[in-house]
Amino acid sequence: MNDVLCALGHVASLQSLTSRGISSGQLRRSVTTGRIQRLRRGVYGCGHLDERIARAAAIGGALTCVSVLRAHGVWAGHSLRLHIQLPPTSSATPDPTARFHWALPRFGLRIPGEATPLQSLWQALHCLDEENAIAAMESAMWTGFLRPEQIRQLAVHAPRRLHDGIRRIVANSGSGNETIVRLRLERAGFTVVAQGHVPGMGHQDLVVDDCVGIDVDGRAWHEGDDRFATDRDRDVQAEGLGRHSLRIRTAHIFQTWPHTLAVIERAVADARRDRERRHGRVLVKLGDPF
Ligand SMILES: [Zn+2]
Ligand SMILES: [Zn+2]
């Protein structure tokens, strides 16, 4: 019984369960023992069903938008409000703590449960501001939540306000924080390369004007001693190449950005001056008369 329901995505209509040979007696027994739960008339979920999906199913909807992205480890901005997709025929009473969406059939309808990945990201592009929407698109690609051709398909239907950001999308941004810092720096006039190579040491998250490397913390895999050691090794290697390194964390991006930007501007200006000075010394050596 539970195997069938799990295979259906942990939530299913009575119709799909009976079509797979589940009898009403089996269903009743499983509800009594708590292995499955009745979410609303004709809709059942596993006992271990995600509480947010259960809440959406109870009012005849499906989890969607940023709520689905977040559940799959895709960048979804900062709001923790529940986003629920309703079928066009729904008469659900609006719940002020949730945000409701009407499904666009073109991107697939999947009710109950979770909206399709395409539907979820399409809705998120309308809910999120520009930098978070672009970060969600890059994150969806990076995590494999959607394929590049699906991202291109969404780009065609994206709101106009996102067109400039969409033109600057890269496929190798390692986190939402990283995308947002890159977009802000590009807007400030810098040339920024995502995942800039440091010979012998892999990559730095961002390389600004080819002279300052930035690693953007706030990702789970930055924790732990091994990662700490690798990061520090790379800082030393980058510095040895004459590339100054900064390490910034989430609060520097979302709480004290003007100060962070000023620090980056200063670091880039200093690095440029250093580079010019070095070039100056080389030229003096080559120019024999001195
Ligand atoms: Zn299950
Ligand atoms: Zn939404």
Side-chain angles (χ1 to χ4, degrees), residues 263-281:
V263 168
I264 295 171
E265 283 170 344
R266 165 97 193 253
V268 172
D270 286 353
R272 277 209 202 107
R273 206 174 312 116
D274 283 357
R275 193 161 53 184
E276 278 154 21
R277 238 184 253 138
R278 263 201 307 277
H279 282 237
R281 273 207 301 275

Side-chain angles (χ1 to χ4, degrees), residues 73-75 135 138-143 170-180 182 193-196 203-206 214-222 227:
V74 176
W75 183 261
E138 291 191 349
S139 171
M141 210 157 22
W142 176 257
T143 55
V170 300
N172 59 347
S173 180
S175 74
N177 282 352
E178 197 181 308
T179 299
I180 288 168
R182 192 188 85 243
V193 175
Q195 303 295 314
H203 295 80
Q204 282 192 295
D205 291 340
L206 301 170
I214 300 183
D215 273 306
V216 184
D217 282 342
R219 293 176 288 170
W221 59 82
H222 267 164
R227 180 71 202 192

